[in-house]
Amino acid sequence: MGEIQILIVLAFIIFASPYIAKFIKIPVAPTEIILGIIFGSLGFFPENEFFKVVADVGFYYLMFLAGTEVDLKIFFTTEKTVLKRSIIFLVLLYILSILLVYTLNLSYLFIIVMPIISIGILSTLYKDYGKDEEWLNTAMLVGVIGEVVSIALLTVLNAYLKYGFGASLFINLAALVGFLAITTIVFKGLDLFFWWYPSIKKILMPQYDKEEKDIRLSMALLCFVIAVMIILDLKVVIGAFIAGTLIPTFFDHKKELPHKLSSFGFGFLVPIFFVYIGSTVNLDALLLPGVVPTIFLITTAMLIVRLVASIIFIPNLGLKGSVLFGISLSIPLTLLIATAAIGYETKYISQDVYYSLILASLFEAIICLVMIKVIYNFKLSKK
């Protein structure tokens, strides 16, 4: 009976969330999280393994879609000054975060938490603001680099807390380095192969076909890479993201493919992930001592360090553009939740810190998405 109840409530949320979001004037993603919190608190989402599995698939698909927004050739076509500023931004982010952690005497876990970047939610902004906004394209470029760094550090943290400082830790790290090195070789090899045999692209993904070969190949890539990540005991998110980048990088003749994949994802799988995240939130945690101040501290600190570091992009984006850039990188919802889960499962952080991180990730998503909408619309009204 529990599965039927979950399906009925999910059906309502998936259908109604865009209308509710329009009514309350906030983006759809946080609306789905809020509805998940409300219905979860009312007992409509009992603990269910199938619900969790589907939500995980939604998360992986979200990261896959984030990858489809990134043509890796951008790293070769982007101005060197922008790439240099991107590196400086990330370095500043980590320096400011380390200073804050030591100044406020926080757990060393926050050295990873404060500068963590995830482009899962960032990629959803393209649906609202299009692909012509320089601040958003720059944020995606920096976000790709930042997410790879964040996932690498998260993998190190997970291995260290799981295995301790020993041989198993170095084996796990070697697997990550090896995977990234092989991925780089594969990308270079494919680039050379398709340069010599460009017609193969249209055989694999015909411009017009009745069998949806483009979607089939995309799903095959996603499933294959996820399987490889599970075998190597690495974070699936980085594999899902890399699989997504193959689409725009090597099959740029299929301009409509990312839109087709996105329509299915944001219409079904991704909302289930957002609703599930909301359903896991225990609102009673707000009554625990220290939770609310910690939520405020995390949310404020993560936003401030990004806005300060984003000053480096004022010459490129202008003041408002750099503010939008900084705020858009302040929504590490998925990876922040993953970090909290790792810390709590390994007993590295207490329950109240765990709840603080989970709730902070949700509040950041809601607050930052609303801030972006307000600032962006204000910018338009000044034209």
Side-chain angles (χ1 to χ4, degrees):
M1 189 65 184
E3 287 85 358
I4 295 175
Q5 177 178 293
I6 290 173
L7 286 172
I8 292 173
V9 177
L10 276 177
F12 168 75
I13 294 177
I14 290 173
F15 171 74
S17 54
Y19 301 98
I20 296 173
K22 186 175 182 180
F23 178 74
I24 61 179
K25 300 188 185 305
I26 68 172
V28 176
T31 300
E32 290 164 344
I33 296 172
I34 293 170
L35 291 173
I37 293 174
I38 293 172
F39 282 97
S41 300
L42 294 174
F44 286 98
F45 289 120
E47 189 171 337
N48 184 278
E49 187 62 27
F50 179 71
F51 185 24
K52 183 182 184 304
V53 169
V54 177
D56 286 340
V57 173
F59 176 33
Y60 302 149
Y61 197 80
L62 174 63
M63 296 310 300
F64 176 71
L65 291 177
T68 64
E69 300 289 353
V70 180
D71 183 344
L72 293 181
K73 293 175 183 175
I74 192 175
F75 291 105
F76 303 101
T77 58
T78 301
E79 295 180 13
K80 289 184 178 180
T81 55
V82 175
L83 286 174
K84 287 180 181 178
R85 291 183 193 278
S86 301
I87 301 300
I88 294 173
F89 170 83
L90 292 172
V91 171
L92 283 174
L93 201 57
Y94 278 90
I95 291 174
L96 291 170
S97 299
I98 291 170
L99 289 174
L100 265 180
V101 167
Y102 278 96
T103 302
L104 301 175
N105 196 27
L106 300 173
S107 166
Y108 290 146
L109 178 69
F110 284 90
I111 293 177
I112 295 178
V113 167
M114 290 291 184
I116 202 167
I117 290 177
S118 177
I119 62 172
I121 303 296
L122 178 62
S123 64
T124 66
L125 296 179
Y126 279 114
K127 295 181 71 68
D128 296 321
Y129 304 105
K131 297 186 177 183
D132 297 324
E133 295 295 335
E134 189 178 0
W135 62 270
L136 184 52
N137 291 327
T138 305
M140 182 59 77
L141 171 69
V142 177
V144 171
I145 303 171
E147 175 148 9
V148 171
V149 173
S150 297
I151 292 175
L153 290 175
L154 197 56
T155 302
V156 173
L157 174 68
N158 184 51
Y160 174 72
L161 295 178
K162 188 175 181 180
Y163 304 116
F165 191 79
S168 297
L169 171 64
F170 291 102
I171 290 173
N172 192 264
L173 296 182
L176 174 64
V177 173
F179 174 76
L180 293 176
I182 291 173
T183 299
T184 302
I185 294 171
V186 168
F187 268 99
K188 288 184 176 295
L190 285 174
D191 191 37
L192 183 62
F193 178 77
F194 286 132
W195 185 80
W196 279 104
Y197 305 102
S199 60
I200 300 296
K201 291 184 181 182
K202 295 185 179 180
I203 294 175
L204 293 173
M205 288 191 181
Q207 193 66 51
Y208 304 101
D209 72 285
K210 297 179 181 180
E211 290 81 25
E212 304 293 349
K213 294 186 183 72
D214 50 0
I215 295 180
R216 290 172 184 267
L217 178 58
S218 301
M219 294 301 98
L221 285 171
L222 177 60
C223 292
F224 175 75
V225 174
I226 287 177
V228 171
M229 301 306 284
I230 292 173
I231 291 171
L232 295 176
D233 193 25
L234 296 173
K235 287 293 175 186
V236 174
V237 290
I238 191 171
F241 174 76
I242 289 173
T245 61
L246 289 167
I247 307 302
T249 302
F250 297 114
F251 300 99
D252 53 343
H253 66 288
K254 296 290 290 185
K255 301 294 184 183
E256 78 286 356
L257 180 55
H259 177 70
K260 288 166 66 176
L261 295 169
S262 176
S263 296
F264 171 69
F266 287 109
F268 177 54
L269 284 176
V270 176
I272 293 177
F273 165 67
F274 288 136
V275 173
Y276 174 78
I277 291 301
S279 71
T280 62
V281 175
N282 184 356
L283 290 179
D284 292 338
L286 293 171
L287 303 177
L288 293 174
V291 168
V292 172
T294 305
I295 292 172
F296 179 77
L297 172 65
I298 295 170
T299 304
T300 305
M302 291 182 74
L303 186 57
I304 287 175
V305 295
R306 283 159 176 76
L307 288 175
V308 172
S310 66
I311 291 173
I312 193 74
F313 277 104
I314 289 180
N316 299 83
L317 305 175
L319 179 59
K320 287 188 179 178
S322 66
V323 170
L324 287 169
F325 165 85
I327 297 173
S328 66
L329 289 176
S330 303
I331 320 172
L333 175 71
T334 50
L335 287 190
L336 187 53
I337 290 173
T339 306
I342 290 172
Y344 185 60
E345 289 169 4
T346 55
K347 310 296 184 184
Y348 189 75
I349 59 174
S350 61
Q351 187 181 60
D352 58 334
V353 174
Y354 169 74
Y355 280 136
S356 298
L357 288 171
I358 295 293
L359 290 168
S361 69
L362 299 178
F363 287 132
E364 279 182 320
I366 295 169
I367 291 170
C368 290
L369 288 174
V370 172
M371 286 176 66
I372 290 171
K373 187 174 183 179
V374 171
I375 295 172
Y376 181 81
N377 287 336
F378 176 74
K379 176 184 177 183
L380 289 179
S381 67
K382 298 293 285 184
K383 287 183 178 180

